Amino acid sequence: MPVDRSPTTRKEYLMARDTLSRSMHDLGLAAWFGGTLANAVALNAAAGAASDSRDTGAVANEGWDRWTPVNAGAIGLHLVGSVGQLIGNKGRLAAQQGVPTMAGTKTALTAAALGATAYSRSLGRTVSEHRDVPAESGTTPLDQTPPHVAQAQRRLSALQWVVPALTGAVVLVSAYAGEQQRASEQRRGLRKRLVG
């Protein structure tokens, strides 16, 4: 008679399924992607609807300053979950063909997203130091905008789309990683690794 090796306790079940690390990975990534996309689509443009051009800068700065700590928490949650996923899948990383390439791609995209986010925040601080700077929108300066702030806004205008594009790419690679965990894909990857 075969021995039942299924998890018996709640903790064993969660650990067997990597549920905690996967949840941290996915929730953090979802907030990072969704928040930056929403701010690019809505906040920066909506700030331009303020009645006065000085209020435009103040509204955009207030919104981004409120989002920054939430975004930092989301990124931290995602990174901790990512490490947990790497630890939980170390056997597959070593044995299943295609998994190391996927993990390397995902790591490179995550590093690029982190770099773009850090640079965006640095530019955002430059803009935020001038609470009531005149602007057309959160990322579009006016002629009256101080030159160094205008330069930061122009760079932010491009970066506001780079971060969601990179984190969106991480979402896509994560979906592919999930497909690699199917039993049929694991068997195929192991066969390819063994056969060469």
Side-chain angles (χ1 to χ4, degrees):
M1 175 179 276
V3 177
D4 181 12
R5 298 195 187 282
S6 60
T8 55
T9 68
R10 186 169 189 262
K11 182 178 176 184
E12 288 173 332
Y13 180 79
L14 286 174
M15 296 314 287
R17 301 264 182 184
D18 291 324
T19 303
L20 182 59
S21 64
R22 185 183 301 261
S23 297
M24 293 170 71
H25 170 281
D26 292 353
L27 288 171
L29 181 57
W32 188 9
F33 167 74
T36 53
L37 181 62
N39 282 328
V41 170
L43 174 64
N44 288 336
S51 59
D52 182 274
S53 65
R54 291 190 177 279
D55 291 339
T56 295
V59 168
N61 288 335
E62 181 69 21
W64 277 105
D65 288 346
R66 287 182 184 210
W67 171 245
T68 296
V70 175
N71 196 43
I75 292 168
L77 190 67
H78 170 69
L79 294 176
V80 169
S82 294
V83 170
Q85 287 293 288
L86 284 171
I87 292 168
N89 288 286
K90 62 184 174 197
R92 287 182 51 247
L93 275 165
Q96 185 179 346
Q97 188 178 30
V99 174
T101 302
M102 175 279 302
T105 301
K106 191 171 165 184
T107 300
L109 286 167
T110 301
L114 285 168
T117 299
Y119 184 50
S120 293
R121 183 57 195 143
S122 172
L123 293 170
R125 272 197 290 269
T126 298
V127 175
S128 187
E129 287 170 0
H130 303 274
R131 300 296 307 167
D132 58 353
V133 66
E136 185 177 323
S137 74
T139 56
T140 308
L142 291 171
D143 291 339
Q144 305 93 320
T145 306
H148 68 288
V149 175
Q151 181 183 40
Q153 284 182 310
R154 282 190 286 275
R155 289 178 180 166
L156 283 169
S157 182
L159 281 172
Q160 70 180 340
W161 302 108
V162 171
V163 175
L166 288 168
T167 53
V170 176
V171 170
L172 295 175
V173 175
S174 295
Y176 179 72
E179 290 297 307
Q180 286 182 317
Q181 290 182 324
R182 290 179 180 219
S184 60
E185 288 299 310
Q186 287 186 42
R187 286 192 298 272
R188 191 165 68 89
L190 290 171
R191 268 196 313 272
K192 282 186 175 181
R193 172 79 57 161
L194 293 171
V195 173

